């Protein structure tokens, strides 16, 4: 029974992926701009977090050295 479960699951997922109809949709320029803005904001937030905690990050990796 345990050997059949992964195979059955694999076939079920494959059948569901191939049974999905085409969406026939497009991404308008406003959506693309919003996605790009979210990516830039995420990068800026990551950079700010790294800059704020840089001394702690470096200190964590230097603790093992004498």
């Amino acid at each position: 029974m345990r050997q059949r479960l992964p195979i059955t699951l694999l076939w079920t997922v494959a059948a569901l992926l191939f049974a999905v109809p085409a969406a026939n949709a497009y991404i308008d320029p406003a959506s693309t701009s919003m996605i790009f803005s979210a990516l830039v904001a995420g990068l800026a937030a990551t950079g700010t977090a790294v800059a704020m905690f840089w001394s702690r990050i470096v200190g964590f990796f230097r603790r093992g050295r004498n």
Side-chain angles (χ1 to χ4, degrees):
M1 177 68 181
R2 296 188 95 192
Q3 293 176 352
R4 291 182 59 184
L5 183 63
I7 295 172
T8 305
L9 183 64
L10 179 68
W11 280 106
T12 304
V13 170
L16 289 173
L17 287 175
F18 289 117
V20 176
N24 294 333
Y26 70 97
I27 297 178
D28 69 318
S31 298
T32 306
S33 176
M34 189 182 334
I35 292 169
F36 180 72
S37 296
L39 288 173
V40 170
L43 288 173
T46 302
T48 302
V50 168
M52 288 176 61
F53 297 108
W54 182 251
S55 61
R56 290 185 183 184
I57 294 169
V58 171
F60 177 76
F61 289 110
R62 288 190 179 173
R63 284 189 187 160
R65 297 182 186 170
N66 290 331

